[in-house]
């Protein structure tokens, strides 16, 4: 019998991020506390740019965007937001969406699976994802439960379960 397997990835659906950004922009344009402060949120290349005329306001724009991401089912671990920076008279925050599991993070996950997972489960790094395989599907379910119980500083999804 062939091994069962699944892949561990860290991906974000770009369309969902775009929808969250559009919803945040709409809310910012309509909210009373953002009137006349030059608050905005938009794409700037592959980064997200948030602007306002005070540090508090630009942080509030970030909070609105984060709440929209949560409502769309996107983990905040995928959002890498910088600190507010003064640029002329405006405060700006640049944020990026992190995708892919770095080699060192993949090694951490593989080591955790080796140390704490069931015997006979293999984990191998394949680019920016991790393939976990075993003869027993129950062992794979145990590994998924183990990883969901851990608090990594990056988002994990489990795909291609077969």
């Amino acid at each position: 019998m062939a091994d069962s397997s699944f892949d561990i990835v860290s991906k974000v659906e770009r369309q969902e991020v775009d929808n969250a950004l559009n919803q945040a922009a709409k809310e910012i344009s309509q909210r009373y506390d953002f009137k006349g402060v030059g608050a905005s949120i938009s794409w700037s290349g592959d980064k997200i740019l948030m602007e306002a005329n005070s540090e508090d306001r630009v942080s509030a724009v970030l909070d609105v965007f984060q709440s929209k991401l949560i409502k769309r089912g996107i983990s905040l671990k995928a959002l890498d937001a910088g600190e507010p920076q003064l640029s002329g008279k405006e405060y700006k925050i640049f944020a990026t969406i992190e995708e892919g599991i770095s080699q060192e993070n993949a090694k951490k996950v593989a080591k955790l699976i080796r140390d704490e997972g069931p015997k006979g489960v293999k984990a191998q790094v394949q680019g920016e994802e991790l393939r976990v395989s075993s003869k027993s599907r129950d062992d794979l379910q145990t590994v998924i439960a183990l990883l969901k119980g851990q608090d990594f500083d990056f988002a994990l999804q489990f795909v291609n379960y077969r």
Side-chain angles (χ1 to χ4, degrees):
M1 188 174 124
D3 284 0
S4 298
S5 69
F6 68 90
D7 294 334
I8 302 172
V9 297
S10 182
K11 290 189 175 149
V12 175
E13 198 164 325
R14 176 85 174 192
Q15 185 61 50
E16 288 297 324
V17 174
D18 200 36
N19 290 343
L21 186 126
N22 291 335
Q23 287 177 342
K26 186 174 182 181
E27 182 174 322
I28 289 163
S29 71
Q30 292 176 346
R31 268 186 33 186
Y32 175 75
D33 58 335
F34 286 119
K35 294 282 187 231
V37 296
S40 67
I41 181 169
S42 61
W43 286 106
S44 173
D46 60 345
K47 292 185 178 186
I48 298 163
L49 171 65
M50 291 160 265
E51 295 179 299
N53 65 2
S54 75
E55 194 170 344
D56 294 340
R57 285 286 150 237
V58 79
S59 296
V61 170
L62 177 61
D63 288 343
V64 169
F65 182 54
Q66 287 175 335
S67 71
K68 298 301 178 191
L69 286 175
I70 290 170
K71 284 183 182 173
R72 291 225 153 270
I74 298 171
S75 172
L76 291 183
K77 292 178 181 176
L79 179 70
D80 182 25
E83 293 297 314
Q85 300 169 343
L86 184 59
S87 173
K89 293 182 179 178
E90 296 272 305
Y91 280 89
K92 296 181 179 186
I93 294 179
F94 285 99
T96 56
I97 302 296
E98 300 288 322
E99 287 194 300
I101 302 174
S102 69
Q103 288 291 325
E104 63 188 49
N105 287 337
K107 286 178 183 175
K108 282 184 201 172
V109 173
K111 182 176 179 353
L112 179 75
I113 291 170
R114 260 196 324 275
D115 294 348
E116 298 184 26
K119 297 279 183 245
V121 176
K122 297 186 286 287
Q124 56 191 138
V125 179
Q126 296 179 333
E128 292 188 338
E129 58 184 49
L130 200 65
R131 165 88 28 104
V132 179
S133 57
S134 172
K135 296 226 181 289
S136 164
R137 285 179 171 241
D138 291 342
D139 288 349
L140 293 180
Q141 294 287 345
T142 305
V143 169
I144 289 175
L146 170 73
L147 294 176
K148 283 185 176 177
Q150 298 295 316
D151 186 29
F152 294 109
D153 57 349
F154 53 96
L156 291 180
Q157 291 88 30
F158 308 102
V159 296
N160 296 338
Y161 186 83
R162 54 180 173 270

